[in-house]
Amino acid sequence: MPGSISILSSGINLGWTSPYLPELLSANSSIPTTNDEGSWCAVAPLLGAPPGAILAAILVDKIGRKKTTLLMAPWVSLCFIGIAFSTTIWEITGLRFLIGSVEGALYTVLPMYIGEISDPKIRDFLTSTIAIAAITGTLFINVIGSFLDIFMSSLICCLIPLIHMMAFALVPESPYYYIKKGNFEAAKQSLQVLRGKRDVEEEVDSIVKAVVRQERTSNQAGVLDLFTVASNRRACLIFVIVCMTNKFSGKNPCMFYTEMIFKEAGSSIDATTSVIVYCGMELIAVVLTTLLVIKRFGKRMLLITSSAGCSVAVLALSLFFFFKDFGFDIHYVFWLPITALVSYNIMFSIGLSFGMVTILSELFPTSVKAKALCIADTFSVLMGALVSKIFQISVDQAGSMAYPFLFFSMCSLAGCLLIVRWMPETKGKTLEEIQYVLIGQESGVELSVRRVQFLNNSF
């Protein structure tokens, strides 16, 4: 739980543009900003994530998961202080880029750390706290951004990484890291603290065996194996489908430009209030989905339902802007923008929000998983930045939000059909069984060879 506090800063940084970008773009702004500059400011955290993820991938095995996470906190705090005293939009953009790099590092380290320290019975809940913390951060910045200026809110936000650093300093290092370094006694002591009991010998032995096996197989595979091995290619294809559906459903534009969307819609509901309701409903949806829905339904069905629902929700938003632009009376449907966006958030939360993470953790074998994570994170954030730029450019060129939202609706529908065709159901299957599903798509001699390789790597 203390580790997830750091993700609050990620949510704050991603949601920061919603309350403050309209202020920066206004005619009387103290920091003059053009639409193009504002769009670069919005996507800066996404562009900063890949170098941070690469750095974290190096540090986690050099200095440990705990120290890598703690190292990030001071930088985030200093960046928020820098934003408070910024005088140009490019200073703010650069600092948001640096915070984005820290986000990339944290999203690499924390899932790994939580997965290694948690008991299987509570692992799903602990992992979900990352998403919950991110949404809470976005809600927090929208609430305080409604009545505080950039200076004051930034000074408040700089305290959150410091709170995280003090709390996280009290938790033990991952026993997996200690075992990788050959420090078995430290691993045992760490596990005793985590489990709250003295007798952990059996679990230590199982971790030792797992680390030895994973270290052996990780040295046998390279990046090219992601594309030359048929089962890995299918896993990559499935990831690309889900990732593209996630990004091109319009999540980032909806998050970055929430308040602008409500203002453009001309809704009689206060834009700031609408944003807070929007973020609050997303938080509730993610919490309920995490605790209740995932366990009852398979991930494949949830992804299909989620992508189809997102398509309908953004189509409704597109139709609203078409009616508004063509002069139709929209007085009686003033509620449609917030209803469509809240519906979109709920549908996104039940599947697409966790789909990419699930695929990365389930579909790729241990031998290429680390390499797959690095490439996937880079691809994901670049697609997110691309979609945000497409939204900004299309709105500027067409003068309407109807067209980009129609495009997002079509992309979500296309993604839904591709998920139906290619996404396997993984509910109730072990990682080994999932690999058999992927290997089973191959034919002839290659299938026999891959089965032998799989058994050798697994046992």
Side-chain angles (χ1 to χ4, degrees):
M1 294 294 286
S4 298
I5 296 175
S6 62
I7 301 297
L8 284 171
S9 297
S10 172
I12 289 170
N13 194 39
L14 288 175
W16 188 90
T17 51
S18 183
Y20 291 121
L21 191 55
E23 176 183 328
L24 293 171
L25 293 173
S26 64
N28 59 350
S29 172
S30 59
I31 303 177
T33 304
T34 65
N35 284 338
D36 186 60
E37 290 170 341
S39 72
W40 283 114
C41 183
V43 302
L46 301 178
L47 299 178
I54 295 171
L55 177 62
I58 297 171
L59 291 178
V60 287
D61 288 331
K62 296 286 186 182
I63 64 174
R65 287 80 161 124
K66 178 180 176 180
K67 289 181 180 178
T68 301
T69 304
L70 288 173
L71 186 63
M72 302 298 126
W75 293 104
V76 178
S77 185
L78 289 173
C79 285
F80 275 121
I81 293 174
I83 291 175
F85 293 95
S86 294
T87 57
T88 69
I89 186 60
W90 292 113
E91 290 176 4
I92 294 176
T93 300
L95 291 167
R96 279 171 49 77
F97 178 91
L98 292 176
I99 298 176
S101 296
V102 173
E103 293 169 14
L106 290 174
Y107 274 104
T108 300
V109 180
L110 283 178
M112 183 187 304
Y113 177 80
I114 292 174
E116 291 176 351
I117 69 166
S118 57
D119 186 282
K121 296 178 182 178
I122 60 171
R123 183 176 295 143
D124 288 342
F125 170 73
L126 291 180
T127 304
S128 70
T129 60
I130 295 176
I132 293 171
I135 299 168
T136 302
T138 301
L139 177 60
F140 176 75
I141 192 62
N142 276 285
V143 170
I144 67 170
S146 64
F147 59 88
L148 293 178
D149 59 15
I150 294 175
F151 178 79
M152 284 303 301
S153 66
S154 297
L155 292 182
I156 292 174
C157 292
C158 82
L159 299 176
I160 293 176
L162 301 180
I163 295 172
H164 155 249
M165 186 167 62
M166 290 186 290
F168 200 70
L170 303 176
V171 304
E173 176 59 89
S174 165
Y176 279 76
Y177 170 73
Y178 284 135
I179 290 173
K180 284 171 68 71
K181 295 299 181 182
N183 193 343
F184 300 103
E185 184 59 31
K188 179 180 177 181
Q189 293 174 0
S190 173
L191 210 53
Q192 287 173 339
V193 174
L194 292 167
R195 300 294 179 260
K197 61 182 181 179
R198 303 287 299 174
D199 184 15
V200 293
E201 295 292 344
E202 185 177 346
E203 188 170 357
V204 170
D205 289 342
S206 66
I207 294 175
V208 170
K209 292 177 183 177
V211 170
V212 170
R213 182 176 67 251
Q214 291 167 11
E215 288 292 292
R216 183 184 71 244
T217 57
S218 65
N219 291 328
Q220 297 173 351
V223 174
L224 290 179
D225 285 336
L226 286 170
F227 311 104
T228 58
V229 177
S231 58
N232 290 341
R233 282 201 305 271
R234 188 178 185 224
C236 287
L237 173 63
I238 295 169
F239 170 77
V240 169
I241 290 172
V242 177
C243 178
M244 296 288 280
T245 307
N246 176 297
K247 300 303 178 183
F248 281 84
S249 70
K251 176 61 177 176
N252 285 343
C254 287
M255 179 170 58
F256 293 156
Y257 301 100
T258 308
E259 188 163 332
M260 291 181 63
I261 292 171
F262 285 128
K263 287 184 177 179
E264 180 68 21
S267 173
S268 60
I269 305 174
D270 179 69
T272 302
T273 302
S274 298
V275 172
I276 294 173
V277 172
Y278 169 78
C279 295
M281 290 298 296
E282 180 180 16
L283 179 60
I284 294 172
V286 170
V287 172
L288 293 179
T289 300
T290 300
L291 297 178
L292 303 175
V293 179
I294 296 179
K295 295 180 179 179
R296 289 176 169 235
F297 302 96
K299 299 179 183 67
R300 181 175 184 271
M301 180 55 65
L302 289 176
L303 281 169
I304 293 171
T305 304
S306 177
S307 54
C310 288
S311 178
V312 173
V314 290
L315 177 62
L317 201 57
S318 174
L319 292 175
F320 175 87
F321 283 110
F322 269 121
F323 292 147
K324 177 177 179 292
D325 295 339
F326 282 97
F328 288 92
D329 185 7
I330 57 173
H331 175 72
Y332 296 103
V333 289
F334 69 92
W335 46 266
L336 186 56
I338 188 171
T339 302
L341 278 176
V342 169
S343 299
Y344 170 85
N345 248 3
I346 293 173
M347 298 310 299
F348 185 89
S349 299
I350 67 172
L352 289 174
S353 62
F354 59 83
M356 292 190 298
V357 178
T358 299
I359 287 171
L360 289 174
S361 64
E362 290 184 343
L363 296 186
F364 290 100
T366 305
S367 57
V368 295
K369 186 171 290 185
K371 302 172 184 67
L373 281 165
C374 183
I375 295 173
D377 184 60
T378 301
F379 179 79
S380 174
V381 296
L382 289 178
M383 289 301 99
L386 175 63
V387 169
S388 297
K389 286 298 293 182
I390 289 174
F391 179 81
Q392 177 256 319
I393 292 172
S394 60
V395 170
D396 288 348
Q397 295 297 320
S400 172
M401 291 189 179
Y403 300 101
F405 281 123
L406 179 61
F407 172 69
F408 295 148
S409 177
M410 295 171 63
C411 289
S412 296
L413 180 59
C416 178
L417 297 176
L418 290 171
I419 291 171
V420 171
R421 171 64 180 85
W422 291 104
M423 179 71 188
E425 180 53 75
T426 60
K427 180 183 178 183
K429 292 185 174 66
T430 65
L431 296 181
E432 290 83 359
E433 290 170 340
I434 293 171
Q435 283 303 301
Y436 272 128
V437 171
L438 296 175
I439 293 172
Q441 301 301 313
E442 305 171 27
S443 61
V445 176
E446 186 177 9
L447 174 58
S448 299
V449 172
R450 285 293 296 150
R451 279 178 175 165
V452 172
Q453 291 177 342
F454 170 77
L455 291 172
N456 289 337
N457 288 341
S458 298
F459 304 102

